[in-house]
Amino acid sequence: MLWETITLAFTTIIRNKLRTFLTVLGVVIGVAAVIAMVTIGQGSSAQVNASVSALGTNVLTVRPGTRGFGPPVGGGAAAPRFSLKDAEVLATLPEVGYAAPVVSSGQTVVFGNANAATQVYGTNNDYTRVQNWPLSAGRSFEPHEETAGAAVCVIGQTVASKLFDRSDPIGQIIRVKNVACPVIGVLQARGAGSFGQDQDDLVLMPAKTVQRRLEGNNNVDSIAVALRKSVSSEDGIKAVSQVLRERRRIGLTQTDNFSVSDMKELANMLGGVNAVLTGLLSSVAAVSLLVGGIGIMNIMLVSVTERTREIGIRLAVGASAGQVLMQFLVEAVVLSLLGGAVGIGVGLALAYGGSVFMAIPFAPSGAVVALAFGFSALVGVVFGYFPARRAARLDPIEALRHQ
């Protein structure tokens, strides 16, 4: 009996192709939107985790103020900056492998008729070691260049492309503000960072050079610290914090006027933001499933009205109300499952296209696909029940009189 009911449902659906298409369209859009949003969100999370992992799991960022990432809070804007000596002291800790001061300065660099607005970082050779960022050409700073604050530059691939196009930048002299700076090295291409910024759009110079000749002060904006492999992030943060509290003369009852953050914190923060956005977009997309379900109910109600005489004949020849209810309920479920199946294909195709366009991993989830498909079936049951019940409750005599 069930197989006959399913066969009858398919026959009715095939006989009304246009109505079937319009009915399942809402379910297709809803399922496709949910799968596409969740898959792209998971791919984005995978990209973020990969970007953070590339920076190293045992990398700490030390900043003045009371927040590791984003703008300082709680008076952090007025917190004293670090000094080059702070970075030197941190580098001597047994828990620390490398420590690099970072002095940031936004500048326009010029070569001939070409110019580029970029970020200049004053630092030392440990910066590329902390960031695990080798050079593709040239050399790093010599010790005497760091000590004397010599005007030498290591540039990123984006700056090299903007200023020199395809010519060799090594040995060429660029102008940074009013400082003539020979290019001694070029960093390997790294691409977009966790926040979408171009990591290759930068110039590295010795820290003293940026302090004296570009910024006019002795401030250090942050310190990048790479812990030794055998040291946990918790132990490293504890050791770094203890030394900085002593150097900044912070009392036992006073709170830190600096922050020490590791890449795990950044990964957790970005993952949390991404999860919230993915959930929000998926919830909005799920509304389409609700709309699709309402569309199924409306079409099924129209179908009941159109097929009143057919229903009356079935009831008159001995079909039970339960059998009629089952017939219309199966039709609604089949429509929903058909829309769900098509929606899965469309959703995965959209997710793949979005992943290629956004250059993120294609990360489909079998659980999400199964959930979307199951939800589409539930939509058919919920929104198909009322029209099916209405058909089952028709009076056979009144139904046969319907013209």
XYZ file of all heavy atoms in Angstrom, residues 151-242:
677
model
N 70.698 53.060 7.277
C 69.543 53.154 6.381
C 69.621 52.048 5.335
O 70.147 52.243 4.234
C 69.499 54.525 5.720
N 69.136 50.856 5.684
C 69.053 49.725 4.756
C 67.652 49.139 4.848
O 67.002 49.221 5.896
C 70.116 48.647 5.067
C 71.511 49.136 4.696
C 70.065 48.235 6.546
N 67.163 48.534 3.766
C 65.775 48.073 3.703
C 65.674 46.639 3.200
O 66.398 46.233 2.293
C 64.961 48.954 2.754
S 64.869 50.683 3.232
N 64.747 45.905 3.817
C 64.284 44.625 3.296
C 62.812 44.820 2.959
O 62.038 45.269 3.807
C 64.464 43.489 4.322
C 63.852 42.192 3.803
C 65.930 43.292 4.656
N 62.418 44.516 1.726
C 61.062 44.842 1.286
C 60.246 43.583 1.017
O 60.787 42.513 0.748
C 61.082 45.733 0.022
C 61.741 44.996 -1.151
C 61.800 47.047 0.308
C 61.701 45.782 -2.456
N 58.910 43.728 1.102
C 58.000 42.640 0.774
C 57.749 42.573 -0.719
O 58.061 43.503 -1.478
N 57.127 41.478 -1.149
C 56.908 41.248 -2.571
C 55.962 42.280 -3.191
O 56.135 42.670 -4.347
C 56.343 39.839 -2.787
C 57.323 38.716 -2.527
C 58.365 38.575 -3.632
O 58.242 39.164 -4.698
N 59.409 37.810 -3.365
N 54.969 42.750 -2.444
C 54.046 43.748 -2.994
C 54.754 45.059 -3.270
O 54.550 45.683 -4.323
C 52.875 43.977 -2.022
O 52.153 42.754 -1.860
C 51.934 45.048 -2.537
N 55.597 45.495 -2.329
C 56.366 46.727 -2.528
C 57.324 46.567 -3.703
O 57.474 47.467 -4.539
C 57.129 47.106 -1.247
C 58.017 48.334 -1.477
C 56.152 47.372 -0.103
N 57.968 45.405 -3.774
C 58.892 45.148 -4.883
C 58.166 45.220 -6.224
O 58.680 45.778 -7.203
C 59.542 43.775 -4.710
N 56.946 44.679 -6.278
C 56.181 44.696 -7.522
C 55.750 46.109 -7.898
O 55.816 46.502 -9.064
C 54.962 43.791 -7.380
O 54.149 43.839 -8.523
N 55.325 46.900 -6.899
C 54.861 48.265 -7.169
C 55.992 49.182 -7.620
O 55.800 50.036 -8.493
C 54.196 48.843 -5.916
C 52.846 48.236 -5.583
C 52.260 48.863 -4.333
C 50.891 48.284 -4.000
N 50.333 48.878 -2.751
N 57.161 49.027 -7.023
C 58.259 49.947 -7.313
C 59.139 49.495 -8.467
O 59.633 50.327 -9.241
C 59.130 50.144 -6.063
C 58.467 50.786 -4.837
C 59.506 51.016 -3.749
C 57.783 52.097 -5.205
N 59.343 48.199 -8.589
C 60.332 47.706 -9.549
C 59.737 46.826 -10.644
O 60.480 46.369 -11.513
C 61.427 46.923 -8.802
C 62.117 47.736 -7.747
C 61.770 47.581 -6.402
C 63.096 48.650 -8.075
C 62.390 48.324 -5.415
C 63.727 49.402 -7.097
C 63.376 49.247 -5.761
N 58.434 46.585 -10.577
C 57.782 45.717 -11.555
C 58.512 44.376 -11.585
O 58.538 43.663 -10.594
C 57.764 46.382 -12.920
C 56.780 45.707 -13.872
O 55.969 44.901 -13.389
O 56.825 45.979 -15.073
N 59.161 44.036 -12.684
C 59.847 42.749 -12.780
C 61.368 42.875 -12.697
O 62.075 41.867 -12.829
C 59.467 42.065 -14.088
C 57.985 41.735 -14.189
C 57.674 40.989 -15.472
N 56.250 40.673 -15.574
C 55.693 40.010 -16.579
N 56.465 39.589 -17.598
N 54.404 39.774 -16.607
N 61.880 44.060 -12.475
C 63.337 44.226 -12.391
C 63.831 43.853 -11.001
O 63.061 43.787 -10.040
C 63.727 45.668 -12.715
O 63.104 46.568 -11.806
N 65.129 43.608 -10.896
C 65.739 43.182 -9.635
C 65.886 44.369 -8.695
O 66.583 45.339 -9.015
C 67.111 42.550 -9.914
C 67.740 41.972 -8.659
O 67.056 41.927 -7.617
O 68.926 41.571 -8.725
N 65.273 44.333 -7.511
C 65.366 45.473 -6.589
C 66.656 45.514 -5.774
O 66.979 46.555 -5.185
C 64.158 45.286 -5.672
C 63.898 43.823 -5.676
C 64.326 43.311 -7.019
N 67.383 44.374 -5.684
C 68.567 44.322 -4.834
C 69.600 45.340 -5.327
O 69.966 45.373 -6.498
C 69.193 42.911 -4.819
C 68.163 41.880 -4.351
C 70.432 42.886 -3.931
C 67.640 42.109 -2.965
N 70.053 46.174 -4.384
C 71.051 47.195 -4.703
C 70.459 48.527 -5.128
O 71.178 49.542 -5.161
N 69.158 48.555 -5.449
C 68.520 49.818 -5.822
C 68.270 50.658 -4.563
O 68.123 50.129 -3.459
C 67.194 49.556 -6.539
C 67.318 48.709 -7.793
C 68.017 49.449 -8.916
O 68.192 50.668 -8.860
N 68.455 48.719 -9.932
N 68.203 51.961 -4.742
C 68.014 52.868 -3.615
C 66.615 53.471 -3.693
O 66.256 54.111 -4.685
C 69.079 53.974 -3.611
C 70.470 53.368 -3.437
C 68.803 54.977 -2.484
C 71.593 54.381 -3.487
N 65.810 53.227 -2.659
C 64.482 53.815 -2.570
C 64.500 54.938 -1.539
O 65.435 55.033 -0.730
C 63.420 52.760 -2.195
C 63.685 52.184 -0.795
C 63.385 51.642 -3.227
C 62.611 51.209 -0.314
N 63.481 55.779 -1.588
C 63.387 56.871 -0.620
C 62.211 56.601 0.304
O 61.075 56.436 -0.151
C 63.227 58.203 -1.339
C 63.149 59.406 -0.385
C 63.459 60.706 -1.107
N 62.666 60.841 -2.320
C 61.429 61.350 -2.350
N 60.859 61.738 -1.227
N 60.791 61.453 -3.496
N 62.488 56.537 1.600
C 61.473 56.358 2.627
C 61.395 57.665 3.403
O 62.321 58.013 4.129
C 61.802 55.184 3.569
C 60.686 54.985 4.585
C 62.067 53.914 2.795
N 60.306 58.393 3.188
C 60.194 59.760 3.697
C 61.328 60.574 3.082
O 61.363 60.762 1.882
C 60.207 59.775 5.225
C 59.674 61.062 5.848
C 59.572 60.948 7.364
C 58.995 62.214 7.978
N 58.878 62.086 9.458
N 62.281 61.019 3.877
C 63.429 61.751 3.314
C 64.729 60.965 3.471
O 65.823 61.536 3.426
C 63.566 63.118 3.986
C 63.726 63.012 5.501
O 63.607 61.919 6.052
N 63.996 64.127 6.167
N 64.599 59.639 3.650
C 65.768 58.797 3.893
C 66.053 57.949 2.653
O 65.177 57.210 2.182
C 65.539 57.874 5.120
C 66.746 56.975 5.340
C 65.235 58.702 6.361
N 67.250 58.061 2.119
C 67.669 57.205 1.009
C 68.070 55.846 1.567
O 68.918 55.755 2.461
C 68.842 57.841 0.271
N 67.458 54.790 1.047
C 67.604 53.475 1.667
C 67.898 52.409 0.615
O 67.033 52.082 -0.201
C 66.309 53.135 2.408
S 66.371 51.627 3.377
N 69.107 51.852 0.593
C 69.407 50.751 -0.336
C 68.612 49.494 0.024
O 68.470 49.154 1.201
C 70.915 50.524 -0.141
C 71.411 51.732 0.579
C 70.281 52.248 1.385
N 68.101 48.814 -0.996
C 67.380 47.561 -0.795
C 68.400 46.434 -0.728
O 69.127 46.178 -1.690
C 66.373 47.303 -1.929
C 65.678 45.953 -1.724
C 65.344 48.419 -2.004
N 68.442 45.759 0.431
C 69.421 44.681 0.599
C 68.777 43.297 0.553
O 69.479 42.287 0.451
C 70.189 44.837 1.924
C 69.231 44.745 3.118
C 70.975 46.149 1.949
C 69.928 44.664 4.467
N 67.446 43.221 0.646
C 66.790 41.915 0.658
C 65.321 42.013 0.289
O 64.710 43.083 0.397
N 64.762 40.882 -0.164
C 63.340 40.788 -0.508
C 62.769 39.559 0.196
O 63.333 38.458 0.105
C 63.119 40.666 -2.025
C 61.628 40.558 -2.338
C 63.739 41.844 -2.753
N 61.650 39.744 0.894
C 61.007 38.643 1.612
C 60.238 37.743 0.652
O 59.787 38.180 -0.409
C 60.038 39.206 2.661
C 60.660 39.975 3.829
C 59.587 40.780 4.550
C 61.354 39.028 4.789
N 60.083 36.491 1.042
C 59.246 35.585 0.262
C 57.787 36.023 0.332
O 57.351 36.616 1.316
C 59.368 34.151 0.783
C 60.674 33.459 0.431
C 60.671 31.985 0.813
O 59.665 31.467 1.296
N 61.788 31.318 0.605
N 57.038 35.738 -0.724
C 55.615 36.088 -0.759
C 54.855 35.290 0.296
O 55.088 34.095 0.470
C 55.040 35.821 -2.140
N 53.955 35.968 0.989
C 53.169 35.297 2.027
C 51.668 35.405 1.774
O 50.896 34.573 2.234
C 53.528 35.888 3.391
C 52.765 35.299 4.552
C 53.397 35.608 5.876
N 54.431 34.646 6.241
C 55.028 34.617 7.427
N 54.723 35.517 8.347
N 55.944 33.704 7.693
N 51.201 36.401 1.064
C 49.782 36.514 0.746
C 48.977 37.202 1.833
O 49.514 37.911 2.682
N 47.665 36.967 1.813
C 46.749 37.622 2.744
C 46.878 37.024 4.136
O 47.129 35.832 4.303
C 45.310 37.504 2.251
N 46.706 37.873 5.137
C 46.775 37.432 6.521
C 45.415 37.029 7.056
O 44.424 36.933 6.319
N 45.319 36.808 8.370
C 44.089 36.337 9.000
C 42.944 37.324 8.856
O 41.783 36.953 8.800
C 44.346 36.061 10.491
O 45.363 35.105 10.648
N 43.267 38.624 8.802
C 42.241 39.649 8.669
C 42.084 40.110 7.225
O 41.431 41.100 6.954
C 42.588 40.851 9.558
C 42.555 40.536 11.029
C 43.722 40.254 11.720
C 41.357 40.519 11.714
C 43.690 39.970 13.083
C 41.313 40.235 13.066
C 42.487 39.963 13.757
N 42.708 39.412 6.286
C 42.588 39.762 4.883
C 43.589 40.787 4.403
O 43.575 41.185 3.240
N 44.479 41.266 5.283
C 45.450 42.276 4.888
C 46.582 41.667 4.068
O 46.871 40.479 4.188
C 46.031 42.979 6.130
C 47.093 42.186 6.898
C 46.523 41.131 7.832
O 45.348 40.823 7.768
N 47.351 40.580 8.702
N 47.198 42.483 3.239
C 48.311 42.030 2.407
C 49.579 42.007 3.259
O 50.148 43.050 3.578
C 48.479 42.968 1.211
C 49.549 42.486 0.236
O 50.183 41.448 0.514
O 49.761 43.160 -0.783
N 50.039 40.823 3.625
C 51.224 40.715 4.473
C 52.514 41.110 3.752
O 53.524 41.409 4.393
C 51.368 39.281 4.993
C 50.217 38.831 5.871
C 50.429 37.432 6.408
O 50.939 37.232 7.511
N 50.035 36.432 5.641
N 52.488 41.111 2.419
C 53.697 41.425 1.644
C 53.879 42.919 1.405
O 54.858 43.335 0.798
C 53.645 40.697 0.292
C 53.557 39.196 0.464
O 54.332 38.661 1.269
O 52.717 38.564 -0.198
N 52.931 43.707 1.882
C 53.010 45.162 1.681
C 53.709 45.798 2.887
O 53.070 46.389 3.759
C 51.600 45.724 1.502
C 51.617 47.166 1.015
O 52.714 47.698 0.764
O 50.532 47.752 0.883
N 55.022 45.665 2.958
C 55.778 46.184 4.092
C 57.236 46.413 3.724
O 57.742 45.882 2.727
C 55.696 45.242 5.289
C 56.641 44.031 5.343
C 56.625 43.409 6.737
C 56.316 42.993 4.292
N 57.892 47.210 4.558
C 59.331 47.451 4.444
C 59.931 47.269 5.828
O 59.403 47.805 6.816
C 59.632 48.873 3.926
C 61.132 49.156 3.969
C 59.100 49.058 2.514
N 61.005 46.509 5.932
C 61.712 46.338 7.199
C 62.975 47.183 7.193
O 63.720 47.199 6.213
C 62.081 44.863 7.417
C 60.947 43.835 7.423
C 61.512 42.441 7.715
C 59.878 44.193 8.435
N 63.192 47.886 8.300
C 64.411 48.678 8.500
C 64.905 48.441 9.920
O 64.120 47.990 10.776
C 64.136 50.169 8.282
C 63.652 50.528 6.883
S 63.243 52.293 6.699
C 64.886 53.036 6.811
N 66.166 48.694 10.219
C 66.618 48.574 11.607
C 65.786 49.463 12.528
O 65.396 50.575 12.148
C 68.081 49.041 11.533
C 68.501 48.738 10.133
C 67.286 49.003 9.297
N 65.523 48.977 13.729
C 64.648 49.700 14.651
C 65.156 51.106 14.955
O 64.384 52.069 14.973
C 64.502 48.903 15.945
N 66.450 51.253 15.183
C 67.002 52.574 15.512
C 66.835 53.546 14.352
O 66.655 54.743 14.556
C 68.473 52.446 15.900
C 68.702 51.799 17.257
C 70.183 51.793 17.623
C 70.405 51.166 18.998
N 71.848 51.131 19.374
N 66.900 53.061 13.139
C 66.729 53.923 11.968
C 65.324 54.509 11.937
O 65.145 55.716 11.704
C 66.980 53.122 10.683
O 68.215 52.429 10.781
C 66.999 54.032 9.468
N 64.319 53.659 12.153
C 62.944 54.133 12.143
C 62.696 55.072 13.318
O 62.035 56.121 13.171
C 61.967 52.943 12.182
C 60.519 53.425 12.269
C 62.147 52.074 10.947
N 63.221 54.742 14.479
C 63.030 55.597 15.647
C 63.618 56.993 15.430
O 62.957 58.008 15.656
C 63.678 54.953 16.878
C 62.920 53.761 17.445
C 63.630 53.151 18.636
O 64.853 53.190 18.739
N 62.861 52.566 19.543
N 64.856 57.055 14.986
C 65.551 58.339 14.900
C 65.176 59.152 13.670
O 64.984 60.365 13.751
C 67.067 58.091 14.899
C 67.602 57.459 16.174
C 69.055 57.051 15.993
N 69.599 56.383 17.181
C 70.808 55.819 17.236
N 71.597 55.843 16.166
N 71.216 55.243 18.342
N 65.050 58.485 12.531
C 64.950 59.223 11.275
C 63.528 59.298 10.711
O 63.258 60.125 9.830
C 65.890 58.606 10.238
C 67.332 58.509 10.758
C 68.295 57.982 9.735
N 68.489 58.924 8.631
C 69.389 58.749 7.655
N 70.162 57.659 7.656
N 69.492 59.630 6.687
N 62.627 58.454 11.213
C 61.249 58.511 10.737
C 60.269 58.964 11.820
O 59.383 59.775 11.549
C 60.809 57.137 10.203
C 61.590 56.565 9.011
C 60.968 55.239 8.561
C 61.634 57.546 7.849
N 60.427 58.439 13.023
C 59.477 58.737 14.086
C 59.949 59.820 15.049
O 59.147 60.498 15.674
C 59.151 57.453 14.870
C 58.360 56.421 14.080
C 56.987 56.930 13.694
O 56.176 57.228 14.583
O 56.749 57.039 12.476
N 61.236 59.966 15.213
C 61.764 60.996 16.102
C 61.571 60.703 17.571
O 61.442 61.620 18.390
N 61.539 59.421 17.960
C 61.444 59.045 19.372
C 62.092 57.687 19.572
O 62.555 57.064 18.612
C 59.981 59.032 19.845
C 59.108 58.091 19.025
O 59.424 56.905 18.853
N 57.995 58.620 18.498
N 62.103 57.220 20.813
C 62.720 55.931 21.132
C 61.685 54.857 21.476
O 62.017 53.851 22.108
C 63.693 56.091 22.310
C 64.886 56.963 21.950
O 65.401 56.862 20.832
N 65.312 57.820 22.867
N 60.438 55.070 21.072
C 59.361 54.143 21.435
C 59.410 52.864 20.608
O 59.783 52.870 19.437
C 58.000 54.803 21.237
C 57.775 55.941 22.216
O 58.359 55.980 23.289
N 56.919 56.881 21.839
N 59.002 51.773 21.260
C 58.780 50.494 20.587
C 57.308 50.153 20.748
O 56.795 50.103 21.867
C 59.670 49.388 21.190
C 59.258 48.018 20.653
C 61.140 49.658 20.883
N 56.616 49.958 19.632
C 55.164 49.738 19.675
C 54.786 48.362 20.206
O 53.765 48.204 20.880
C 54.574 49.917 18.275
C 54.780 51.334 17.755
O 54.574 52.271 18.540
O 55.170 51.485 16.586
N 55.556 47.354 19.886
C 55.273 45.999 20.348
C 56.534 45.162 20.267
O 57.531 45.579 19.672
C 54.154 45.351 19.517
O 54.562 45.205 18.172
N 56.477 43.992 20.864
C 57.608 43.051 20.823
C 57.068 41.688 20.416
O 56.119 41.168 21.022
C 58.315 42.942 22.187
C 58.809 44.321 22.643
C 59.497 41.975 22.108
C 59.391 44.335 24.048
N 57.648 41.124 19.368
C 57.275 39.785 18.912
C 58.235 38.777 19.524
O 59.462 38.934 19.397
C 57.316 39.710 17.390
N 57.694 37.781 20.190
C 58.511 36.823 20.935
C 58.222 35.407 20.436
O 57.056 35.002 20.333
C 58.225 36.905 22.453
C 59.020 35.847 23.209
C 58.553 38.299 22.975
N 59.269 34.660 20.134
C 59.139 33.247 19.785
C 59.701 32.416 20.935
O 60.881 32.555 21.291
C 59.882 32.936 18.493
N 58.857 31.571 21.527
C 59.296 30.723 22.626
C 60.047 29.509 22.088
O 59.895 29.120 20.934
C 58.091 30.261 23.439
C 57.214 31.357 24.052
C 56.011 30.730 24.740
C 58.004 32.222 25.022
N 60.853 28.926 22.938
C 61.528 27.682 22.554
C 60.489 26.570 22.436
O 59.439 26.603 23.080
C 62.601 27.323 23.584
C 63.700 28.376 23.679
C 64.829 27.907 24.569
N 65.842 28.948 24.728
C 66.815 29.178 23.860
N 66.928 28.421 22.774
N 67.685 30.150 24.072
N 60.774 25.588 21.607
C 59.797 24.547 21.305
C 59.343 23.778 22.537
O 58.219 23.302 22.606
C 60.380 23.583 20.275
C 60.579 24.203 18.900
C 61.096 23.183 17.903
C 61.255 23.795 16.520
N 61.768 22.804 15.521
N 60.210 23.643 23.517
C 59.870 22.860 24.713
C 59.072 23.662 25.735
O 58.653 23.115 26.760
C 61.154 22.341 25.367
O 62.000 23.425 25.732
N 58.841 24.943 25.460
C 58.177 25.829 26.423
C 56.715 26.014 26.023
O 56.416 26.305 24.866
C 58.887 27.195 26.491
C 58.166 28.129 27.462
C 60.344 27.023 26.904
N 55.807 25.850 26.971
C 54.386 26.065 26.695
C 54.074 27.555 26.671
O 54.815 28.372 27.226
C 53.529 25.383 27.764
O 53.712 26.013 29.024
N 52.969 27.892 26.040
C 52.559 29.297 25.966
C 52.322 29.868 27.361
O 52.690 31.021 27.647
C 51.293 29.439 25.119
O 51.525 29.054 23.789
N 51.724 29.063 28.238
C 51.425 29.531 29.595
C 52.706 29.881 30.350
O 52.794 30.937 30.991
C 50.637 28.470 30.358
C 49.228 28.213 29.838
C 49.208 27.394 28.562
O 50.263 26.808 28.196
O 48.153 27.347 27.909
N 53.726 29.000 30.258
C 54.988 29.272 30.947
C 55.696 30.476 30.332
O 56.307 31.287 31.041
C 55.900 28.045 30.880
C 55.376 26.884 31.719
O 54.546 27.145 32.626
O 55.779 25.730 31.468
N 55.640 30.583 29.018
C 56.271 31.712 28.353
C 55.627 33.027 28.726
O 56.326 34.018 28.992
N 54.307 33.066 28.738
C 53.597 34.290 29.120
C 53.932 34.678 30.558
O 54.155 35.851 30.872
C 52.075 34.100 28.942
C 51.732 33.990 27.456
C 51.305 35.250 29.585
C 50.283 33.650 27.187
N 53.996 33.676 31.426
C 54.320 33.943 32.835
C 55.714 34.537 32.974
O 55.919 35.526 33.708
C 54.212 32.642 33.633
C 54.465 32.800 35.119
C 54.286 31.478 35.855
C 54.553 31.626 37.342
N 54.395 30.334 38.069
N 56.706 33.976 32.278
C 58.085 34.463 32.373
C 58.217 35.868 31.796
O 58.858 36.748 32.395
C 59.021 33.503 31.640
N 57.612 36.103 30.633
C 57.683 37.425 30.001
C 56.992 38.470 30.868
O 57.515 39.583 31.072
C 57.048 37.371 28.593
C 56.856 38.776 28.032
C 57.915 36.550 27.654
N 55.829 38.135 31.398
C 55.081 39.085 32.231
C 55.852 39.445 33.496
O 55.879 40.622 33.906
C 53.721 38.498 32.601
O 52.941 38.252 31.453
N 56.495 38.463 34.102
C 57.240 38.718 35.334
C 58.382 39.694 35.092
O 58.586 40.643 35.858
C 57.789 37.410 35.894
C 58.549 37.576 37.214
C 59.008 36.237 37.778
O 58.583 35.180 37.327
N 59.884 36.281 38.771
